[in-house]
Amino acid sequence: FSLRMDRHTENARKVIKFLKEEFPQYKLLYTTFGKYYKKNKITGGGGVISIVLQSKEQGLAFMRSLKMIRIGTTFGNLESLCYHFGGFARPSRDITKIGIPLGLVRLSIGLEDVQDIISDIDQALRKSKKAAKK
């Protein structure tokens, strides 16, 4: 388990570094599991990150543009997963009232080759930027 968590964390850190360098306009959120890690002597932050995109439309375009990373409502799998809250919220529910931006996309970074993960995120963000401008 600790080897797996190390790989999740290492891949997530490389993805974050890439996003900060290539897409600094987006807010990034990095989830850690604090007490769990300390209790079990695991170092690192885990593999869950979130990107706040400009709009619900851009979030949907990003998610639809992913080729390798698949849609998933959970996290912690071996493979990378993506979830866009604004795209799945019921139209009658205003998620912004509970502090969730409509452009928030959660990524659970998996164990795949990190360059494959980064390439998929990169191409999807570039496509979603174009879609958001329409």
Side-chain angles (χ1 to χ4, degrees), residues 34-42:
K35 290 179 185 177
Y36 178 81
Y37 279 88
K38 289 176 188 172
K39 179 181 172 191
N40 292 288
K41 297 180 173 53
I42 298 171

Side-chain angles (χ1 to χ4, degrees), residues 57-91:
E57 293 74 26
Q58 187 178 7
L60 285 169
F62 171 78
M63 188 176 61
R64 290 178 181 144
S65 297
L66 291 167
K67 295 178 180 177
M68 180 187 84
I69 300 170
R70 54 187 196 92
I71 298 168
T73 57
T74 62
F75 60 90
N77 291 1
L78 297 175
E79 68 273 356
S80 297
L81 301 171
C82 173
Y83 186 78
H84 174 239
F85 291 89
F88 291 105
R90 292 185 305 255

Side-chain angles (χ1 to χ4, degrees), residues 2-16 30-31 33 37 42-48 109-111:
S2 64
L3 290 174
R4 179 178 159 197
M5 292 310 297
D6 287 346
R7 180 69 178 265
H8 281 295
T9 300
E10 178 185 338
N11 281 356
R13 286 186 177 153
K14 288 177 181 176
V15 169
I16 289 169
Y30 187 37
T31 305
F33 300 103
Y37 279 88
I42 298 171
T43 59
V48 179
I109 305 300
L111 306 183

